[in-house]
Amino acid sequence: MYRVKYACAKENGNRKNAIVSLKSEIRKLNFAHVFIWLLVAAQVVVSYLKLVSHDVVATPYQWEYPYLLSIIPCIFSFISFPRNNISYLVISMISAGLFCIAPLIYGSMEMFPVAQQLYRHGKAYRFIFGFSAVSVMYLVMVIAVQVHAWQIYYSKKLLDSWFTSTQERKKK
């Protein structure tokens, strides 16, 4: 009997540690996401308000405007943590696909002809601080896709852990 109680306590302790670890990883990814979002938002705002010449900071691509909505999943993710709210985490995961991944997919297709022209002919027409805008934005996209993919992966793991612990509480 003692071994069974010890095993259950040890399993619950590991689950709590796993939940804390997953929350920590998601928080880090959320902060990385906010940083990427701030970079994109800065380019859009600077271009919209015409704070600097378009020679210094290029006009934003079309995909950057819907990507600004990608802050929504981050907000829902942060809201879900204090009380382990499954509903907010699910909303965060679904909206991450819609507001984070979908604009990045569209953006990769939108910028492909420009990237192809840069590769074939060496000509770039948009620049961000002297660098080819398409190269800079593809670099941002590669990092953003990884951040969002890991966010969704860890959120799914956390959701499974929360769901399991909720089911165990209902059994007791």
Side-chain angles (χ1 to χ4, degrees):
M1 183 72 171
Y2 172 74
R3 287 184 184 186
V4 173
K5 285 183 180 179
Y6 177 74
C8 289
K10 188 173 181 182
E11 183 179 307
N12 287 338
N14 287 342
R15 183 172 293 116
K16 286 179 184 177
N17 289 340
I19 289 172
V20 170
S21 176
L22 287 169
K23 281 183 178 182
S24 172
E25 290 299 320
I26 295 171
R27 258 190 213 99
K28 290 176 196 171
L29 290 166
N30 282 344
F31 286 125
H33 174 215
V34 168
F35 179 72
I36 293 167
W37 184 86
L38 286 172
L39 290 174
V40 173
Q43 181 191 6
V44 170
V45 168
V46 165
S47 176
Y48 182 74
L49 297 177
K50 298 177 183 169
L51 297 175
V52 295
S53 168
H54 288 295
D55 296 336
V56 178
V57 176
T59 57
Y61 289 97
Q62 289 180 350
W63 68 269
E64 294 177 66
Y65 296 106
Y67 186 78
L68 293 177
L69 295 174
S70 72
I71 199 70
I72 294 169
C74 204
I75 292 168
F76 277 113
S77 179
F78 279 125
I79 291 172
S80 73
F81 288 162
R83 294 191 176 213
N84 295 351
N85 193 316
I86 291 173
S87 300
Y88 285 135
L89 190 61
V90 169
I91 291 170
S92 171
M93 291 170 62
I94 292 169
S95 58
L98 182 63
F99 298 131
C100 300
I101 302 296
L104 293 174
I105 292 170
Y106 176 77
S108 66
M109 292 185 295
E110 176 190 6
M111 295 189 317
F112 184 74
V114 179
Q116 201 172 25
Q117 181 181 17
L118 178 64
Y119 176 73
R120 286 186 180 163
H121 306 293
K123 294 182 182 177
Y125 297 103
R126 292 180 173 182
F127 296 95
I128 297 176
F129 296 111
F131 297 101
S132 164
V134 72
S135 301
V136 171
M137 294 315 292
Y138 264 119
L139 179 64
V140 168
M141 289 175 80
V142 166
I143 295 168
V145 164
Q146 292 178 18
V147 167
H148 298 311
W150 283 112
Q151 276 178 322
I152 293 171
Y153 174 77
Y154 283 131
S155 294
K156 174 69 171 115
K157 290 287 190 187
L158 183 60
L159 185 67
D160 291 343
S161 294
W162 284 353
F163 188 73
T164 303
S165 63
T166 301
Q167 293 300 319
E168 287 178 358
R169 273 189 256 138
K170 286 182 180 179
K171 287 180 184 178
K172 290 179 182 180

